Amino acid sequence: MSCVLQLDAGGRLRHFLTVEGLGRDWLERIMDTAESFESVAVQKVKKVPLLRGKTVVNLFFETSTRTRTTFELAAKRLSADVLNINVAVSATAKGESLLDTIRNLEAMGVDMFVVRHAESGAAHFIARHVAPHVSVINAGDGRHAHPTQAMLDMFTIRRHKRDFSRLTVAIVGDILHSRVARSQIHALNTLGAREVRVVAPRTLLPVAVERLGVRVCHDLDAGLEDADVVIMLRLQKERMQGALLPSEREFFRCFGLTAARLRRARPDCLVMHPGPINRGVEIASEVADCSRSVILEQVGHGIAIRMAVMALTLGAVQG
């Protein structure tokens, strides 16, 4: 269903709502396109004219600084006009329906909506109702998906490791509430990763998570054994209902990544985190800042990946 909605009749990427269901060729095309945009960041004038005359609206119903900023930078580097809608004071907050808000913005000539929403499926809902010339990018919906974050993570891994088929990747922490983890798992399996592990206490794992094609570990030391990449996740306390953990201190004792624990992984293991990081909760500072950490690289790659997705969905580059 998602794939049908994302691709038009000619097989072109019209929306980007989820990684699930997209073929390996599309994931690699997005990364290849991002590769071509990396040089824009070091040009004297950090712009290309691909989306000149286009209007992009960042419609964020959840607070976000880094994701919204990188989407805004990506659109501006493509020369688009960008509107950031303050949902807290928008017509939606005054009682107008989401669909009426979208239609009013469409009437102003919008070409793309970048949507973040607390409800799973919000971006899909909007994509089903926009005009044929309008594209929708999912910037995170509920616990469901965060496809551009997953793609920038894959892009970062490819930069260092090249061949996914040789990789064992451990995703550690709050899998239950993480839309990022779900998108990463789909992307890693589509790209042919040798093994994807999820490492977490039972209370922070979705029911039947094995069906996503992962190996489950409840012990961090075992989960890190010979891993090529370890991705730490933020504890999403704002999404937790009830006490799922004894304490943050206990979580760090059992599942926090320290330098001593990292020695279980391969010597060239990458350390990743989609951010924002909580030092001393998910990861020790000595690891977050070590030579194997590519956390800041991930942030920088976010702009190139979002430029690629915007350019592909609006047909500014060959898809």
Side-chain angles (χ1 to χ4, degrees), residues 32-307:
D32 291 344
T33 305
E35 200 85 51
S36 73
F37 285 138
E38 281 281 276
S39 61
V40 176
V42 295
Q43 292 176 184
K44 188 173 180 180
V45 178
K46 297 180 178 61
K47 276 184 181 291
V48 291
L50 289 171
L51 295 189
R52 184 177 292 161
K54 301 290 186 182
T55 301
V56 175
V57 171
N58 285 329
L59 199 55
F60 276 54
F61 294 86
E62 279 189 326
T63 55
S64 165
T65 301
R66 180 172 43 209
T67 301
R68 200 194 71 176
T69 301
T70 54
F71 268 112
E72 183 174 350
L73 270 175
K76 287 180 173 176
R77 286 187 182 173
L78 291 166
S79 302
D81 297 315
V82 183
L83 297 176
N84 292 306
I85 303 295
N86 186 350
V87 178
V89 296
S90 72
T92 306
K94 297 173 184 172
E96 185 177 71
S97 73
L98 174 59
L99 208 49
D100 283 335
T101 298
I102 295 298
R103 284 174 176 153
N104 275 282
L105 289 167
E106 264 188 357
M108 299 176 199
V110 167
D111 299 285
M112 171 177 284
F113 291 107
V114 178
V115 181
R116 169 168 283 195
H117 202 288
E119 296 297 326
S120 298
H124 288 68
F125 174 80
I126 294 170
R128 281 197 298 271
H129 291 89
V130 292
H133 72 280
V134 176
S135 292
V136 177
I137 297 178
N138 184 2
D141 62 328
R143 299 182 188 182
H144 173 237
H146 197 345
T148 58
Q149 177 68 49
M151 288 311 303
L152 75 87
D153 295 336
M154 298 306 109
F155 186 71
T156 304
I157 293 171
R158 193 177 78 164
R159 273 294 182 88
H160 289 269
K161 300 293 186 181
R162 308 308 302 178
D163 185 359
F164 282 86
S165 70
R166 298 173 180 269
L167 299 183
T168 295
V169 181
I171 304 173
V172 182
D174 187 359
I175 310 293
L176 178 65
H177 301 97
S178 178
R179 53 197 172 206
V180 174
R182 281 169 181 74
S183 292
Q184 288 168 339
I185 291 167
H186 287 305
L188 286 165
N189 284 328
T190 299
L191 291 167
R194 180 173 55 190
E195 181 177 299
V196 183
R197 302 171 184 165
V198 292
V199 187
R202 295 181 192 280
T203 53
L204 293 182
L205 283 171
V207 174
V209 66
E210 300 90 344
R211 292 179 188 169
L212 295 177
V214 297
R215 176 186 155 199
V216 176
C217 297
H218 300 298
D219 178 84
L220 180 57
D221 289 337
L224 293 175
E225 200 67 46
D226 293 329
D228 298 284
V229 179
V230 56
I231 304 175
M232 303 303 296
L233 299 175
R234 182 175 68 85
L235 273 184
Q236 299 193 40
K237 291 177 288 185
E238 72 278 11
R239 295 182 186 276
M240 294 184 186
Q241 297 176 344
L244 299 179
L245 297 168
S247 67
E248 289 182 355
R249 185 175 178 181
E250 180 68 8
F251 180 81
F252 183 70
R253 189 182 71 78
C254 296
F255 292 94
L257 187 62
T258 62
R261 281 196 150 129
L262 188 57
R263 293 191 193 104
R264 297 269 184 177
R266 291 190 180 278
D268 60 348
C269 176
L270 296 182
V271 175
M272 304 177 70
H273 193 307
I277 65 173
N278 293 311
R279 294 170 185 260
V281 178
E282 304 113 19
I283 188 168
S285 285
E286 60 183 345
V287 179
D289 302 326
C290 76
S291 60
R292 289 196 251 173
S293 169
V294 292
I295 294 171
L296 291 179
E297 270 187 55
Q298 290 174 261
V299 178
H301 292 158
I303 299 171
I305 282 289
R306 284 159 183 147
M307 289 173 74

